[in-house]
Amino acid sequence: MAVSMHDVARAAGVSQRTVSNVVNDYAYVRPETRQRVLDAMAELGYVPNAAARSLRAGRTGLIALVVPDFRARIFADLAGPVVREAEALGYTVLIELTESEREREIEVLTGGRNQLTDGAIMMALSLRPEDGERRRADYPIVLVGDEVLTGDVRHVAIPNREAAKAVVRHLAGLGRRRLMLLGYAPAEHQTGRMRLRGFLEGLAEAGLTAQEELLVEAGWTRAEGQRAIEEHLDARRSMPDAIFAMNDSLALGALRALQARGVRVPEEVALVGFDDVEEARYSTPSLTTVSPDVEALARNAVAMLHEQISGRPAGRGPHVVVDFELKVRESSR
Amino acid sequence: MAVSMHDVARAAGVSQRTVSNVVNDYAYVRPETRQRVLDAMAELGYVPNAAARSLRAGRTGLIALVVPDFRARIFADLAGPVVREAEALGYTVLIELTESEREREIEVLTGGRNQLTDGAIMMALSLRPEDGERRRADYPIVLVGDEVLTGDVRHVAIPNREAAKAVVRHLAGLGRRRLMLLGYAPAEHQTGRMRLRGFLEGLAEAGLTAQEELLVEAGWTRAEGQRAIEEHLDARRSMPDAIFAMNDSLALGALRALQARGVRVPEEVALVGFDDVEEARYSTPSLTTVSPDVEALARNAVAMLHEQISGRPAGRGPHVVVDFELKVRESSR
DNA sequence: CTGAAAGCGCTAACAG
DNA sequence: CTGTTAGCGCTTTCAG
């Protein structure tokens, strides 16, 4: 067994209490006593035991980051900032993968199989509003992304609607009139619904009307983007002069299809994505895209969770929408 | 405070011991007693307390995954499999980011600031061989990637040398004679050294000799790949007929530079990368690359760590090299 | 099959 | 400033 506080106390000739005081640099300890204790600790290689501390404190200092999968770039992007923010507030982050399974997401709402974490930050993709009732009231949670639960669950969102609107405004400003929305998926995630809504609002604002033929269904993957555009072109459906893809993967797939069919981007068709994945900067042409402030997403999520855990008064509302930036690149000029 | 075992015991009219037995489906408990206990647990919403259990057991059931950064694709790819494997063995994974700082990597060797984890899987980039001495002997660690420590540290490796050799063999088989190595970095990571060594061995095997002008220095990023190739072309240095990039980012940066300068790939210059990032499949032309078996990497790392933690006899040697596959795509035909 | 009770390592209330 | 000590929730030894 590892060396305990008791061992240190004996070695330093003080009581356990004093060792504890030193470890937590608490209260008043006479400098020389402190030094003696520190020496003893170093000598014995003392390391405080997290389990005992947690048991005593009733908190573990752990928070869970719950994501569907790390291969999706946005989740990987989020992990770094979340870990850093959490660390700054004294938390350690542990990872939970849901593979987008609803059961696993629900399990998080109840605090998990064991009370291992003080709270969770979750990107939920499969929860339904009514699942909110299964939530254990005293388990702090912050949802990132869509607002999928009813009730007073805190949540920090990507500005889907506002950004989609900004994209349309940008395209209309370039004189484009026949805008395609790629990745249309009626009643899928709220993310899709919000981007759709922003798209439609943008069109209305620009005095344009949506053409049904230009709302193109596709899963949000590169392969699907490619397939959908190929089919659209081959079927000689009405040709857009701009495409707003629901995310960058779709956009990059579309780009490949357009190039394969000899359609020039951006001359004939402008192309805009969403997410600002790294590749967007490096494709040829480079891709105009919406860049949500992921850093702020992480910062807010951790801060909001910390507020709940520590019972501190919320310095911000229960719902936060972070900023975004439209990165205009070669694909829409 | 949450409901404890004691509460459940009282509600079910049994002793704490019996509840514990039920929870750990231990020993012999009469079916009806078991049921009564289960009912009481459900009724009260009992959830076992991880801290108490850890304190008692002397193990936390947590393992650390220590990586420099999640934005580098390979780390993100590793996370999923590691979490899944760990879960299958009853561990929870927690994340530690080192930003490649040597001090932080060393700290892991000593078991960290608190005994929170039972062991660690680390991708170390900055450790030096002599750091091995700082290692706390009883803290289980598995290194992934390079073998950076002397001593008996377990480690699972990517087949850098073998794969680099296979790449050269492939290019030579296509009739290419003037092979460039992009991302040459004398005495950087061992990864680079091993790939370099494989490259040279491959050349020797094919009866070719390395030209110094074709060992091109560059950081392992896309921007650097682009810059290095642009400079090389603009300086009118000797033209290669094939480029082996130390990783895919470099290769994709190089691709961009080649296209910008009107060099046709693969007709004039074949191009091969390393890592098999997702984009490699979708670039134009798609990129030939080495695909290490990341799944196996994760599986072995977790299994080896588990062996150390549980003190089980090692079913495998202390060093494992996983498989790879050379994915031949459009960029080298 | 079940109960009583010790004790894992630490914090903090209480007492000097 | 420092010592004593109870107890966080659980597992497990020892008795029944």
Side-chain angles (χ1 to χ4, degrees), chain A residues 171 174-180 214 229 232-233 236-244 254-255 257-272 285 330-333:
Chain A
L171 291 171
L174 294 173
R176 311 288 170 152
R177 321 261 87 181
R178 299 186 309 284
L179 274 55
M180 171 189 285
L214 292 180
I229 294 300
H232 189 90
L233 294 178
R236 311 197 161 279
R237 298 211 187 90
S238 104
M239 189 69 183
D241 58 9
I243 300 177
F244 172 38
L255 181 58
L258 291 168
Q259 290 176 330
R261 294 294 188 273
V263 178
R264 283 171 307 139
V265 178
E267 292 80 358
E268 297 175 65
V269 175
L271 181 62
V272 178
E330 296 163 3
S331 71
S332 69
R333 288 240 160 96

Side-chain angles (χ1 to χ4, degrees), chain A residues 295-315:
Chain A
E295 195 77 31
L297 210 61
R299 212 171 35 245
N300 277 285
V302 175
M304 286 163 80
L305 190 62
H306 177 57
E307 280 167 4
Q308 288 182 73
I309 292 174
S310 63
R312 214 60 62 65

Side-chain angles (χ1 to χ4, degrees), chain A residues 24 43 113 209 246 261 278 291 306 311:
Chain A
N24 304 296
E43 172 101 19
R113 297 163 300 288
T209 43
M246 288 282 208
R261 294 294 188 273
E278 196 192 1
S291 178
H306 177 57

Side-chain angles (χ1 to χ4, degrees), chain B residues 1 5 16-17 46 49 53 56:
Chain B
M1 199 50 62
M5 241 179 196
Q16 219 186 98
R17 161 74 202 249
Y46 169 73
N49 178 306
R53 187 178 285 203
R56 190 61 237 242

Side-chain angles (χ1 to χ4, degrees), chain B residues 35-315:
Chain B
Q35 195 51 55
R36 226 175 43 238
V37 171
L38 288 173
D39 290 347
M41 276 168 45
E43 172 100 20
L44 299 176
Y46 169 73
V47 181
N49 178 306
R53 187 178 285 203
S54 303
L55 177 56
R56 190 61 237 242
R59 305 183 12 184
T60 59
L62 295 173
I63 62 179
L65 175 62
V66 187
V67 295
D69 178 356
F70 266 116
R71 278 161 305 184
R73 180 63 197 223
I74 176 79
F75 306 132
D77 280 341
L78 202 64
V82 164
V83 170
R84 265 186 293 279
E85 282 300 318
E87 203 163 89
L89 290 173
Y91 295 98
T92 301
V93 175
L94 104 214
I95 296 283
E96 190 106 15
L97 294 180
T98 61
E99 323 259 356
S100 290
E101 285 168 26
R102 181 153 168 248
E103 274 315 310
R104 306 193 65 165
E105 296 184 349
I106 289 177
E107 193 174 29
V108 171
L109 294 180
T110 67
R113 298 162 300 287
N114 43 21
Q115 315 163 246
L116 183 56
T117 52
D118 294 337
I121 293 173
M122 169 153 67
M123 304 203 70
L125 292 191
S126 308
L127 283 180
R128 318 246 180 86
E130 66 269 26
D131 294 332
E133 294 172 21
R134 307 262 316 255
R135 171 159 141 67
R136 229 187 61 203
D138 60 341
Y139 185 68
I141 287 190
V142 173
L143 257 27
V144 171
D146 298 339
E147 181 186 354
V148 284
L149 295 183
T150 53
D152 68 341
V153 184
R154 287 174 207 282
H155 134 258
V156 33
I158 286 176
N160 291 310
R161 189 167 150 199
E162 299 78 354
K165 212 161 150 181
V167 167
V168 175
R169 203 175 291 134
H170 162 66
L171 291 170
L174 293 173
R176 311 288 170 151
R177 321 261 86 184
R178 300 186 308 284
L179 274 55
M180 170 189 285
L181 181 65
L182 176 61
Y184 172 63
E188 269 286 300
H189 327 303
Q190 205 190 3
T191 302
R193 280 200 300 278
M194 296 310 274
R195 290 182 191 173
L196 168 63
R197 191 186 294 183
F199 178 79
L200 297 175
E201 288 176 357
L203 286 183
E205 192 184 280
L208 301 172
T209 43
Q211 292 181 45
E212 190 164 348
E213 244 191 26
L214 292 180
L215 298 179
V216 176
E217 292 194 31
W220 289 20
T221 65
R222 183 147 9 189
E224 277 282 287
Q226 186 171 348
R227 176 201 59 72
I229 294 300
E230 278 170 359
E231 282 180 11
H232 189 90
L233 294 178
D234 294 350
R236 310 197 161 279
R237 300 209 187 92
S238 105
M239 189 69 184
D241 58 9
I243 299 176
F244 171 39
M246 287 283 208
N247 73 8
D248 285 349
S249 293
L250 274 166
L252 291 165
L255 180 58
R256 186 144 221 228
L258 291 168
Q259 290 177 330
R261 294 294 189 273
V263 178
R264 283 171 306 138
V265 178
E267 292 80 358
E268 298 175 65
V269 175
L271 180 62
V272 178
F274 203 118
D275 284 349
D276 195 21
V277 303
E278 197 192 3
E279 304 168 57
R281 282 203 293 289
Y282 294 103
S283 59
T284 316
S286 55
L287 181 68
T288 295
T289 184
V290 172
S291 178
D293 189 344
V294 176
E295 193 77 32
L297 211 60
R299 210 170 39 242
N300 277 286
V302 175
M304 286 163 80
L305 190 61
H306 177 57
E307 280 166 6
Q308 287 182 74
I309 292 174
S310 63
R312 213 60 62 64

